[in-house]
Amino acid sequence: MIKKPFLLLLPVIVLSLLFVIGILNGLIQSFGIMPSLGLTVPTLKYYSEIFSRPDLLSAIGMSLYITLLSSIGAVVLGVFICALLVMSGKAKGRTLQLIKIPIAIPHTVVALFVILIFAQSGLLARVFYHLDIIASQDAFPALLYARNGLGIILAYIWKEVPFVVFFVVSIMANINTSLGEAAQNLGASRWRTFIDITLPLCMPSIKNAFLIIFAFSLGAYELPFLLGSTVPRALPVQAYIEYTHPDLLHRPYAMALNGILFIISFIIAFLYYRLLQHNVVKVNKS
């Protein structure tokens, strides 16, 4: 007779197996093993060509550039908002709920918002034109579909700031209540207390939030596809183009690009795990 706990875990086990099988199948194909296409000999050719082809190499650089800048921007802005919420005593309640709204909005809708606001024919360009700040709407800086990826970075920051706030604010509020008030009673200003006591103690949560949004942005496809330039493309977009190429012999390139994404994500997951273990050891020692 099958025990009840096993039945409860069965959906998770099945989904995990499908996930692992999918990853293994992709990695095998990235090494050039696709019998249906007559490829049966394992090779590192596709990985080596990725690092020699300028278009594929620039896709990796573009993804890392967008992900790093958007993650740093989201963390800095998110921590600043947390500080304002904690100092104003609004770390709970409606204000915090309003900040969380962008988390529930899909990426495709976010892309439409960004186009409506930041395009050269968008709302911001029209306002600047009517205020005589720019001579014509075409004079508005091209933030979308540009090689600098500013449109994608802005969209990611808007989506990720609420996550950082959600991840950090409760811990920051508790620290500020316990140790922060003690420091203020000893004469420290509120900002001095935040910089010297609250912020260092919140760093483990801030690092965790950074790693999570970094991994999420690196593998996300929708925003780079809808707001990115044609050259260079982001890594997930380039992988999709290689996968849908009419020549099926491009499939191993797509899988090799996904393999690189998997390796980077695995490294981030390992760092996240090590950081959690380090925090547990520190808590146990204290």
Side-chain angles (χ1 to χ4, degrees), residues 140-225:
F140 189 77
L143 302 177
L144 307 183
Y145 318 116
R147 295 175 66 90
N148 54 28
L150 276 178
I152 307 171
I153 292 171
L154 287 172
Y156 273 138
I157 288 176
W158 191 77
K159 275 288 291 179
E160 292 166 351
V161 163
F163 178 80
V164 175
V165 173
F166 177 75
F167 210 81
V168 175
V169 71
S170 58
I171 295 174
M172 187 178 286
N174 288 330
I175 292 172
N176 189 68
T177 302
S178 55
L179 299 177
E181 288 181 355
Q184 289 176 32
N185 290 334
L186 293 174
S189 66
R190 301 179 73 180
W191 280 107
R192 194 69 188 174
T193 301
F194 173 77
I195 292 172
D196 290 343
I197 296 177
T198 308
L199 189 59
L201 292 174
C202 288
M203 283 311 292
S205 297
I206 296 171
K207 290 176 183 176
N208 288 339
F210 175 81
L211 288 175
I212 292 172
I213 61 177
F214 186 92
F216 179 77
S217 303
L218 185 67
Y221 166 79
E222 301 95 330
L223 290 178
F225 180 76

Coordinates of all heavy atoms in Angstrom, one line a residue, residues 140-225:
F140 N 13.6 63.3 -28.9 CA 13.6 62.6 -27.7 C 14.6 61.4 -27.8 O 14.6 60.7 -28.8 CB 12.2 62.0 -27.4 CG 12.0 61.4 -26.0 CD1 12.0 62.2 -24.9 CD2 12.0 60.1 -25.8 CE1 11.8 61.7 -23.6 CE2 11.9 59.5 -24.6 CZ 11.8 60.3 -23.5
P141 N 15.4 61.1 -26.8 CA 16.4 60.1 -26.9 C 15.8 58.7 -27.2 O 14.7 58.4 -26.7 CB 17.0 60.1 -25.5 CG 16.7 61.4 -24.9 CD 15.5 61.9 -25.5
A142 N 16.4 58.0 -28.1 CA 15.9 56.6 -28.5 C 16.3 55.6 -27.4 O 17.4 55.1 -27.3 CB 16.5 56.2 -29.8
L143 N 15.3 55.4 -26.5 CA 15.6 54.5 -25.3 C 15.2 53.0 -25.7 O 15.7 52.1 -25.1 CB 14.8 54.9 -24.1 CG 15.0 56.4 -23.6 CD1 14.1 56.7 -22.4 CD2 16.5 56.5 -23.2
L144 N 14.3 52.9 -26.7 CA 13.8 51.5 -27.0 C 14.5 51.1 -28.3 O 14.9 51.8 -29.2 CB 12.3 51.5 -27.2 CG 11.5 52.1 -26.1 CD1 10.0 52.0 -26.4 CD2 11.8 51.4 -24.8
Y145 N 14.7 49.7 -28.4 CA 15.3 49.1 -29.6 C 16.7 49.6 -29.8 O 17.2 49.6 -31.0 CB 14.4 49.3 -30.8 CG 13.0 49.1 -30.5 CD1 12.1 50.2 -30.7 CD2 12.5 47.9 -30.1 CE1 10.7 50.0 -30.4 CE2 11.1 47.7 -29.8 CZ 10.3 48.8 -29.9 OH 8.9 48.7 -29.7
A146 N 17.4 50.1 -28.8 CA 18.7 50.7 -28.9 C 19.8 49.7 -28.5 O 19.5 48.8 -27.7 CB 18.8 52.0 -28.1
R147 N 21.0 49.9 -29.0 CA 22.1 48.9 -28.7 C 22.4 49.0 -27.2 O 23.0 48.1 -26.6 CB 23.3 49.3 -29.5 CG 23.1 49.0 -31.0 CD 24.3 49.5 -31.8 NE 25.5 48.7 -31.5 CZ 25.9 47.6 -32.1 NH1 25.1 47.2 -33.1 NH2 26.9 46.9 -31.8
N148 N 22.1 50.2 -26.5 CA 22.5 50.3 -25.1 C 21.5 49.6 -24.2 O 21.7 49.4 -23.0 CB 22.6 51.7 -24.7 CG 21.4 52.5 -25.0 OD1 20.3 52.0 -25.1 ND2 21.5 53.8 -25.3
G149 N 20.4 49.1 -24.7 CA 19.4 48.3 -24.0 C 18.7 49.1 -22.8 O 18.2 48.4 -21.9
L150 N 18.7 50.4 -22.9 CA 18.1 51.2 -21.8 C 16.6 50.8 -21.5 O 16.2 50.8 -20.4 CB 18.2 52.7 -22.1 CG 19.6 53.3 -21.7 CD1 19.6 54.8 -22.1 CD2 19.9 53.1 -20.3
G151 N 15.9 50.6 -22.6 CA 14.5 50.3 -22.4 C 14.3 49.0 -21.6 O 13.4 48.9 -20.8
I152 N 15.1 48.0 -22.0 CA 15.0 46.7 -21.2 C 15.4 46.9 -19.8 O 14.8 46.4 -18.8 CB 15.9 45.7 -21.9 CG1 15.6 45.5 -23.4 CG2 15.7 44.3 -21.2 CD1 16.6 44.7 -24.1
I153 N 16.5 47.7 -19.6 CA 17.0 47.9 -18.2 C 15.9 48.6 -17.4 O 15.6 48.3 -16.2 CB 18.3 48.7 -18.2 CG1 19.4 47.9 -18.8 CG2 18.7 49.2 -16.8 CD1 20.6 48.6 -19.1
L154 N 15.2 49.7 -18.0 CA 14.2 50.4 -17.2 C 13.0 49.4 -16.9 O 12.5 49.5 -15.8 CB 13.7 51.5 -18.1 CG 14.6 52.7 -18.2 CD1 14.1 53.7 -19.3 CD2 14.8 53.4 -16.9
A155 N 12.7 48.6 -17.8 CA 11.5 47.7 -17.6 C 11.9 46.7 -16.5 O 11.1 46.4 -15.6 CB 11.2 46.9 -18.9
Y156 N 13.1 46.1 -16.5 CA 13.5 45.2 -15.5 C 13.6 45.9 -14.1 O 13.2 45.3 -13.1 CB 14.9 44.6 -15.8 CG 14.8 43.4 -16.7 CD1 15.7 43.2 -17.7 CD2 13.9 42.4 -16.5 CE1 15.7 42.1 -18.5 CE2 13.8 41.3 -17.3 CZ 14.7 41.2 -18.3 OH 14.6 40.1 -19.1
I157 N 14.1 47.1 -14.0 CA 14.1 47.8 -12.8 C 12.7 48.0 -12.2 O 12.5 47.8 -11.0 CB 14.9 49.2 -12.9 CG1 16.4 48.9 -13.2 CG2 14.7 50.0 -11.7 CD1 17.1 50.2 -13.4
W158 N 11.8 48.4 -13.1 CA 10.4 48.6 -12.6 C 9.8 47.3 -12.1 O 9.1 47.3 -11.1 CB 9.6 49.1 -13.8 CG 8.2 49.6 -13.3 CD1 7.9 50.8 -12.7 CD2 7.0 48.9 -13.5 NE1 6.6 50.8 -12.5 CE2 6.0 49.7 -12.9 CE3 6.6 47.6 -14.0 CZ2 4.6 49.3 -12.9 CZ3 5.3 47.3 -14.0 CH2 4.3 48.1 -13.4
K159 N 10.1 46.2 -12.7 CA 9.6 44.9 -12.2 C 10.3 44.4 -11.0 O 9.7 43.7 -10.2 CB 9.8 43.8 -13.4 CG 8.7 43.8 -14.4 CD 7.4 43.3 -13.9 CE 7.5 41.8 -13.6 NZ 6.2 41.3 -13.1
E160 N 11.6 44.6 -10.8 CA 12.4 44.0 -9.8 C 12.5 44.8 -8.5 O 12.7 44.2 -7.4 CB 13.8 43.7 -10.3 CG 13.8 42.7 -11.4 CD 15.2 42.7 -12.2 OE1 16.0 43.6 -11.9 OE2 15.4 41.8 -13.0
V161 N 12.3 46.1 -8.5 CA 12.3 46.9 -7.3 C 11.3 46.4 -6.3 O 11.7 46.2 -5.1 CB 12.1 48.4 -7.6 CG1 11.7 49.2 -6.4 CG2 13.4 49.0 -8.2
P162 N 10.1 46.1 -6.6 CA 9.1 45.6 -5.6 C 9.6 44.3 -5.0 O 9.3 44.1 -3.8 CB 7.8 45.4 -6.4 CG 8.0 46.4 -7.6 CD 9.4 46.4 -7.9
F163 N 10.2 43.4 -5.8 CA 10.7 42.2 -5.2 C 11.8 42.4 -4.2 O 11.8 41.8 -3.1 CB 11.2 41.3 -6.4 CG 11.8 40.0 -5.9 CD1 11.0 38.9 -5.6 CD2 13.2 39.9 -5.6 CE1 11.5 37.7 -5.1 CE2 13.7 38.7 -5.2 CZ 12.8 37.6 -4.9
V164 N 12.7 43.4 -4.5 CA 13.7 43.7 -3.5 C 13.1 44.2 -2.2 O 13.5 43.9 -1.1 CB 14.7 44.7 -4.1 CG1 15.7 45.1 -3.1 CG2 15.4 44.1 -5.3
V165 N 12.1 45.1 -2.4 CA 11.4 45.7 -1.2 C 10.7 44.6 -0.4 O 10.9 44.5 0.8 CB 10.4 46.8 -1.7 CG1 9.5 47.2 -0.5 CG2 11.1 47.9 -2.4
F166 N 10.0 43.7 -1.1 CA 9.3 42.6 -0.4 C 10.3 41.7 0.3 O 10.0 41.2 1.4 CB 8.6 41.8 -1.5 CG 7.9 40.6 -0.9 CD1 6.7 40.7 -0.2 CD2 8.4 39.3 -1.2 CE1 6.0 39.6 0.3 CE2 7.7 38.2 -0.7 CZ 6.6 38.4 0.1
F167 N 11.5 41.5 -0.2 CA 12.5 40.6 0.3 C 13.2 41.2 1.5 O 13.6 40.5 2.4 CB 13.5 40.3 -0.8 CG 14.1 38.9 -0.6 CD1 13.4 37.8 -1.1 CD2 15.4 38.7 0.0 CE1 14.0 36.5 -0.9 CE2 15.9 37.5 0.1 CZ 15.2 36.4 -0.3
V168 N 13.4 42.5 1.5 CA 14.3 43.2 2.5 C 13.5 44.0 3.6 O 14.0 44.0 4.7 CB 15.3 44.1 1.7 CG1 16.1 44.9 2.7 CG2 16.1 43.3 0.8
V169 N 12.4 44.5 3.3 CA 11.8 45.5 4.1 C 11.4 45.0 5.5 O 11.6 45.7 6.5 CB 10.6 46.2 3.5 CG1 9.4 45.2 3.4 CG2 10.2 47.4 4.2
S170 N 10.9 43.8 5.6 CA 10.5 43.2 6.9 C 11.8 43.0 7.8 O 11.7 43.4 9.0 CB 9.8 41.9 6.8 OG 10.6 41.0 6.1
I171 N 12.8 42.5 7.3 CA 14.1 42.4 8.0 C 14.6 43.7 8.5 O 15.0 43.9 9.6 CB 15.1 41.6 7.2 CG1 14.6 40.2 7.0 CG2 16.5 41.5 7.9 CD1 15.4 39.3 6.0
M172 N 14.6 44.7 7.5 CA 15.1 46.0 7.8 C 14.3 46.7 8.9 O 14.8 47.3 9.8 CB 15.1 46.9 6.6 CG 15.8 48.2 6.8 SD 15.8 49.2 5.2 CE 17.1 48.3 4.3
A173 N 13.0 46.5 8.9 CA 12.1 47.1 9.9 C 12.4 46.5 11.3 O 12.4 47.2 12.3 CB 10.6 46.9 9.5
N174 N 12.6 45.2 11.4 CA 12.9 44.6 12.6 C 14.2 45.0 13.2 O 14.3 45.3 14.4 CB 12.9 43.0 12.5 CG 11.5 42.5 12.3 OD1 10.5 43.1 12.7 ND2 11.4 41.4 11.5
I175 N 15.2 45.1 12.4 CA 16.5 45.6 12.8 C 16.4 47.0 13.3 O 17.0 47.4 14.4 CB 17.6 45.5 11.7 CG1 17.8 44.0 11.4 CG2 18.9 46.2 12.1 CD1 18.7 43.8 10.2
N176 N 15.7 47.8 12.5 CA 15.6 49.2 12.9 C 14.9 49.4 14.3 O 15.2 50.3 15.0 CB 14.9 50.0 11.8 CG 14.9 51.5 12.0 OD1 15.9 52.1 11.9 ND2 13.7 52.1 12.3
T177 N 13.9 48.5 14.5 CA 13.2 48.6 15.8 C 14.0 48.2 17.0 O 14.0 48.9 18.0 CB 11.9 47.7 15.7 OG1 11.2 48.1 14.6 CG2 11.1 47.8 17.0
S178 N 14.8 47.2 16.8 CA 15.6 46.7 18.0 C 16.9 47.4 18.2 O 17.0 48.2 19.1 CB 15.9 45.2 17.8 OG 16.5 45.0 16.6
L179 N 17.8 47.3 17.2 CA 19.1 47.9 17.4 C 19.2 49.4 17.0 O 19.9 50.2 17.6 CB 20.2 47.1 16.5 CG 20.4 45.7 16.9 CD1 21.3 45.0 16.0 CD2 20.8 45.5 18.3
G180 N 18.3 49.7 16.0 CA 18.3 51.1 15.5 C 17.9 52.1 16.6 O 18.5 53.2 16.8
E181 N 16.8 51.7 17.3 CA 16.3 52.6 18.3 C 17.4 52.8 19.5 O 17.5 53.9 20.0 CB 15.0 52.1 18.9 CG 13.9 52.3 17.9 CD 12.6 51.8 18.5 OE1 12.6 51.2 19.6 OE2 11.5 51.9 17.8
A182 N 18.1 51.7 19.7 CA 19.1 51.8 20.8 C 20.2 52.8 20.3 O 20.7 53.6 21.1 CB 19.7 50.4 21.0
A183 N 20.6 52.7 19.0 CA 21.7 53.6 18.5 C 21.2 55.1 18.6 O 21.9 56.0 18.9 CB 22.0 53.2 17.1
Q184 N 19.9 55.3 18.2 CA 19.4 56.7 18.3 C 19.3 57.2 19.7 O 19.5 58.4 19.9 CB 18.0 56.7 17.6 CG 18.1 56.5 16.1 CD 16.7 56.4 15.5 OE1 15.7 57.0 16.0 NE2 16.6 55.6 14.4
N185 N 19.0 56.3 20.6 CA 19.0 56.7 22.0 C 20.4 57.2 22.5 O 20.6 58.0 23.5 CB 18.5 55.6 22.9 CG 17.0 55.4 22.7 OD1 16.3 56.3 22.3 ND2 16.6 54.2 23.0
L186 N 21.4 56.6 21.8 CA 22.8 57.0 22.2 C 23.3 58.2 21.4 O 24.5 58.6 21.5 CB 23.8 55.8 21.9 CG 23.5 54.6 22.8 CD1 24.4 53.4 22.4 CD2 23.8 54.9 24.3
G187 N 22.4 58.8 20.6 CA 22.8 60.1 19.9 C 23.0 60.0 18.5 O 23.3 61.0 17.8
A188 N 22.9 58.8 17.8 CA 23.1 58.7 16.4 C 21.9 59.2 15.6 O 20.8 59.0 16.1 CB 23.4 57.2 16.0
S189 N 22.2 59.8 14.5 CA 21.1 60.3 13.6 C 20.4 59.1 13.0 O 21.0 58.0 12.9 CB 21.6 61.3 12.6 OG 22.4 60.6 11.7
R190 N 19.2 59.3 12.4 CA 18.5 58.2 11.7 C 19.3 57.7 10.5 O 19.4 56.4 10.3 CB 17.1 58.7 11.3 CG 16.3 59.2 12.5 CD 14.9 59.7 12.0 NE 14.1 58.6 11.7 CZ 12.8 58.8 11.3 NH1 12.3 60.0 11.1 NH2 12.1 57.7 11.0
W191 N 19.8 58.6 9.7 CA 20.6 58.1 8.5 C 21.9 57.4 8.9 O 22.4 56.5 8.3 CB 20.8 59.2 7.5 CG 19.6 59.5 6.7 CD1 18.8 60.6 6.7 CD2 19.2 58.7 5.6 NE1 17.8 60.5 5.8 CE2 18.0 59.3 5.1 CE3 19.6 57.4 5.1 CZ2 17.3 58.8 4.0 CZ3 18.8 56.9 4.0 CH2 17.7 57.6 3.5
R192 N 22.5 58.0 10.0 CA 23.8 57.4 10.5 C 23.5 56.0 11.0 O 24.3 55.1 10.8 CB 24.4 58.3 11.6 CG 25.8 57.9 11.9 CD 26.7 58.3 10.8 NE 28.1 57.8 11.1 CZ 29.1 57.9 10.2 NH1 28.8 58.5 9.0 NH2 30.3 57.4 10.4
T193 N 22.4 55.9 11.7 CA 22.0 54.5 12.2 C 21.7 53.6 11.1 O 22.1 52.4 11.2 CB 20.7 54.7 13.1 OG1 21.0 55.6 14.2 CG2 20.3 53.4 13.7
F194 N 21.1 54.1 10.1 CA 20.8 53.2 8.9 C 22.1 52.7 8.2 O 22.2 51.5 7.9 CB 19.9 54.0 7.9 CG 19.7 53.2 6.6 CD1 18.8 52.2 6.6 CD2 20.4 53.5 5.5 CE1 18.6 51.5 5.4 CE2 20.2 52.8 4.3 CZ 19.3 51.8 4.3
I195 N 23.0 53.6 8.0 CA 24.2 53.3 7.3 C 25.2 52.4 8.1 O 25.7 51.4 7.6 CB 25.0 54.6 6.8 CG1 24.1 55.3 5.8 CG2 26.4 54.2 6.3 CD1 24.7 56.7 5.4
D196 N 25.3 52.7 9.4 CA 26.3 52.0 10.2 C 25.7 50.7 10.8 O 26.5 49.8 11.1 CB 26.8 52.9 11.3 CG 27.7 54.0 10.8 OD1 28.1 53.9 9.7 OD2 27.9 55.0 11.5
I197 N 24.4 50.6 11.0 CA 23.9 49.4 11.7 C 22.9 48.6 10.9 O 23.0 47.4 10.6 CB 23.2 49.9 13.1 CG1 24.3 50.5 14.0 CG2 22.5 48.7 13.7 CD1 23.7 51.0 15.3
T198 N 21.8 49.3 10.4 CA 20.8 48.6 9.7 C 21.2 48.0 8.4 O 21.0 46.8 8.1 CB 19.6 49.6 9.5 OG1 19.2 50.2 10.7 CG2 18.4 48.8 8.9
L199 N 21.9 48.8 7.6 CA 22.3 48.4 6.2 C 23.3 47.2 6.3 O 23.1 46.2 5.6 CB 22.9 49.5 5.4 CG 23.2 49.3 4.0 CD1 21.9 48.9 3.2 CD2 23.8 50.5 3.3
P200 N 24.4 47.2 7.1 CA 25.2 46.0 7.2 C 24.5 44.8 7.6 O 24.8 43.7 7.1 CB 26.3 46.5 8.2 CG 26.3 48.0 8.2 CD 24.9 48.4 7.9
L201 N 23.6 44.9 8.6 CA 22.9 43.7 9.1 C 21.9 43.2 8.0 O 21.5 42.0 8.1 CB 22.2 44.0 10.4 CG 23.1 44.3 11.6 CD1 22.3 44.7 12.8 CD2 23.9 43.0 11.9
C202 N 21.5 44.1 7.1 CA 20.5 43.6 6.0 C 21.3 43.1 4.8 O 20.6 42.6 3.9 CB 19.7 44.8 5.6 SG 18.5 45.3 6.7
M203 N 22.6 43.2 4.8 CA 23.3 42.8 3.6 C 23.1 41.4 3.1 O 23.0 41.1 1.9 CB 24.8 43.0 3.8 CG 25.2 44.5 3.6 SD 24.6 45.3 2.2 CE 25.5 44.5 0.9
P204 N 23.0 40.4 4.0 CA 22.7 39.0 3.6 C 21.4 38.9 2.8 O 21.3 38.3 1.7 CB 22.6 38.2 4.9 CG 23.5 38.9 5.8 CD 23.3 40.4 5.5
S205 N 20.3 39.6 3.2 CA 19.1 39.6 2.5 C 19.2 40.4 1.2 O 18.6 39.9 0.1 CB 18.0 40.2 3.3 OG 17.7 39.5 4.5
I206 N 20.0 41.5 1.2 CA 20.1 42.2 -0.1 C 20.9 41.4 -1.1 O 20.6 41.4 -2.3 CB 20.9 43.5 0.3 CG1 20.0 44.4 1.2 CG2 21.2 44.3 -1.0 CD1 20.7 45.6 1.7
K207 N 22.0 40.7 -0.6 CA 22.7 39.8 -1.6 C 21.8 38.7 -2.1 O 21.9 38.4 -3.3 CB 23.9 39.2 -0.8 CG 25.0 40.2 -0.5 CD 26.1 39.5 0.3 CE 27.2 40.5 0.8 NZ 28.2 39.9 1.6
N208 N 21.0 38.1 -1.3 CA 20.1 37.1 -1.8 C 19.1 37.6 -2.8 O 18.9 37.0 -3.9 CB 19.3 36.5 -0.6 CG 20.1 35.6 0.3 OD1 21.2 35.1 -0.1 ND2 19.7 35.4 1.5
A209 N 18.6 38.8 -2.6 CA 17.7 39.4 -3.5 C 18.4 39.7 -4.8 O 17.8 39.5 -5.9 CB 17.1 40.7 -2.9
F210 N 19.6 40.2 -4.7 CA 20.4 40.5 -6.0 C 20.6 39.2 -6.8 O 20.4 39.2 -8.0 CB 21.7 41.1 -5.6 CG 22.7 41.3 -6.8 CD1 22.5 42.4 -7.6 CD2 23.7 40.4 -7.1 CE1 23.3 42.6 -8.7 CE2 24.5 40.6 -8.2 CZ 24.3 41.7 -9.0
L211 N 21.0 38.1 -6.1 CA 21.3 36.9 -6.9 C 20.0 36.3 -7.5 O 20.0 35.9 -8.7 CB 21.8 35.8 -5.9 CG 23.3 36.0 -5.4 CD1 23.6 35.0 -4.4 CD2 24.2 36.0 -6.6
I212 N 18.9 36.4 -6.8 CA 17.6 35.9 -7.4 C 17.2 36.7 -8.6 O 16.8 36.2 -9.7 CB 16.5 35.9 -6.3 CG1 16.8 34.9 -5.3 CG2 15.1 35.6 -7.0 CD1 15.9 35.0 -4.1
I213 N 17.2 38.1 -8.5 CA 16.7 38.9 -9.7 C 17.8 38.8 -10.8 O 17.4 38.9 -12.0 CB 16.5 40.3 -9.3 CG1 17.7 41.0 -8.7 CG2 15.3 40.4 -8.3 CD1 17.5 42.5 -8.4
F214 N 19.1 38.6 -10.5 CA 20.1 38.4 -11.5 C 19.8 37.2 -12.3 O 19.8 37.2 -13.6 CB 21.5 38.4 -10.9 CG 22.6 38.4 -11.9 CD1 23.2 39.6 -12.3 CD2 23.1 37.2 -12.4 CE1 24.2 39.6 -13.2 CE2 24.1 37.2 -13.3 CZ 24.7 38.4 -13.7
A215 N 19.6 36.1 -11.6 CA 19.3 34.8 -12.4 C 18.0 34.9 -13.2 O 17.9 34.4 -14.3 CB 19.2 33.7 -11.3
F216 N 17.0 35.6 -12.6 CA 15.7 35.7 -13.3 C 15.8 36.6 -14.6 O 15.4 36.2 -15.6 CB 14.7 36.4 -12.3 CG 13.3 36.6 -13.0 CD1 12.5 35.5 -13.1 CD2 13.0 37.8 -13.4 CE1 11.2 35.7 -13.7 CE2 11.7 38.0 -14.0 CZ 10.9 37.0 -14.1
S217 N 16.5 37.7 -14.5 CA 16.7 38.6 -15.6 C 17.5 37.9 -16.7 O 17.3 38.1 -17.9 CB 17.3 39.9 -15.2 OG 16.6 40.5 -14.2
L218 N 18.6 37.2 -16.3 CA 19.5 36.6 -17.3 C 18.7 35.6 -18.2 O 19.0 35.5 -19.4 CB 20.6 35.9 -16.5 CG 21.7 35.3 -17.4 CD1 22.5 36.4 -18.1 CD2 22.6 34.4 -16.6
G219 N 17.8 34.9 -17.6 CA 17.1 33.8 -18.4 C 15.8 34.3 -19.0 O 15.1 33.6 -19.8
A220 N 15.3 35.5 -18.7 CA 14.0 36.0 -19.2 C 14.1 36.3 -20.7 O 15.1 36.8 -21.1 CB 13.6 37.2 -18.4
Y221 N 13.0 36.1 -21.3 CA 13.0 36.2 -22.8 C 12.1 37.3 -23.3 O 12.5 38.0 -24.3 CB 12.5 34.8 -23.4 CG 12.1 34.9 -24.8 CD1 13.1 34.8 -25.8 CD2 10.7 35.0 -25.2 CE1 12.7 34.9 -27.2 CE2 10.4 35.0 -26.5 CZ 11.4 35.0 -27.5 OH 11.0 35.0 -28.8
E222 N 11.0 37.6 -22.7 CA 10.0 38.5 -23.2 C 10.5 39.9 -23.4 O 10.4 40.5 -24.5 CB 8.7 38.5 -22.3 CG 8.1 37.2 -22.1 CD 8.6 36.5 -20.8 OE1 9.7 36.8 -20.4 OE2 7.8 35.8 -20.2
L223 N 11.0 40.5 -22.4 CA 11.4 41.9 -22.5 C 12.6 42.1 -23.5 O 12.5 43.1 -24.3 CB 11.8 42.5 -21.1 CG 10.6 42.6 -20.1 CD1 11.1 43.1 -18.8 CD2 9.6 43.6 -20.7
P224 N 13.6 41.3 -23.5 CA 14.6 41.5 -24.5 C 14.1 41.3 -25.9 O 14.5 42.0 -26.9 CB 15.7 40.5 -24.2 CG 15.5 40.2 -22.7 CD 14.1 40.3 -22.5
F225 N 13.1 40.4 -26.1 CA 12.5 40.2 -27.4 C 11.7 41.4 -27.9 O 11.7 41.8 -29.1 CB 11.7 38.9 -27.4 CG 11.1 38.6 -28.7 CD1 11.8 38.0 -29.7 CD2 9.7 38.8 -28.9 CE1 11.2 37.7 -31.0 CE2 9.1 38.5 -30.1 CZ 9.9 38.0 -31.2

